[in-house]
Amino acid sequence: KNEVEQSPQNLTAQEGEFITINCSYSVGISALHWLQQHPGGGIVSLFMLSSGKKKHGRLIATINIQEKHSSLHITASHPRDSAVYICAVRDYQLIWGAGTKLIIKP
Amino acid sequence: KAGVTQTPRYLIKTRGQQVTLSCSPISGHRSVSWYQQTPGQGLQFLFEYFSETQRNKGNFPGRFSGRQFSNSRSEMNVSTLELGDSALYLCASSSIRDRGKNYGYTFGSGTRLTVV
């Protein structure tokens, strides 16, 4: 069993829909990261969480430490949100999830 | 401020050769970490350097090595290249101060290495 599990693996939605990507982990962590990777490889760090909830524009990330679960939400999704979203947890190193490939259709 | 700079962006090498990749962190960032991304294995941690010292190392063979200089720039070296080393190699820099903000790491664009 992978230490970091993301779901779904692939997600296709229409522009404007509310998007939720989930991340569950099985190890003790000091922080959880959500990152975005566009085609071509560049990775952008979206959030770093150790508790509660963070919001940046249309993106919201939550974490439940007791349940070892985090969610990334995108409100009013847009085609430019199409990317791979990766959850990574930090123990002494970053342990990566497999990513969720999101496609937003206009 | 300038982002994390990785050079070269693309590289083609033949089996058995060695390669050196470079990463210049954001000014003031003293921590640099390296990751390998392949379609089959996803993203995997290679190593992390802080103030010229390797702090952590992932499960990679000894052919993979790295170092960090006094200006925080880091290099990673892969010797005796194998076909399976073909991957996107990403580096990320971070600073203790930045971890208090809404992000922890800043990633470079990566070096895409192809071994033929």
Side-chain angles (χ1 to χ4, degrees), chain A residues 46-66:
Chain A
L46 299 173
F47 295 103
M48 184 181 71
L49 294 162
S50 54
S51 65
K53 175 181 175 179
K54 287 189 176 180
K55 184 176 189 293
H56 183 71
R58 296 181 294 106
L59 301 176
I60 304 166
T62 63
I63 188 168
N64 185 317
I65 298 294
Q66 287 72 33

Side-chain angles (χ1 to χ4, degrees), chain B residues 10-15 17 81-83 85-89 111-116:
Chain B
Y10 302 93
L11 201 51
I12 300 175
K13 290 283 189 179
T14 57
R15 278 181 298 175
Q17 285 187 309
L81 284 166
E82 301 177 359
L83 295 178
D85 297 332
S86 295
L88 178 68
Y89 290 88
T111 294
R112 188 166 295 281
L113 171 66
T114 302
V115 182
V116 297

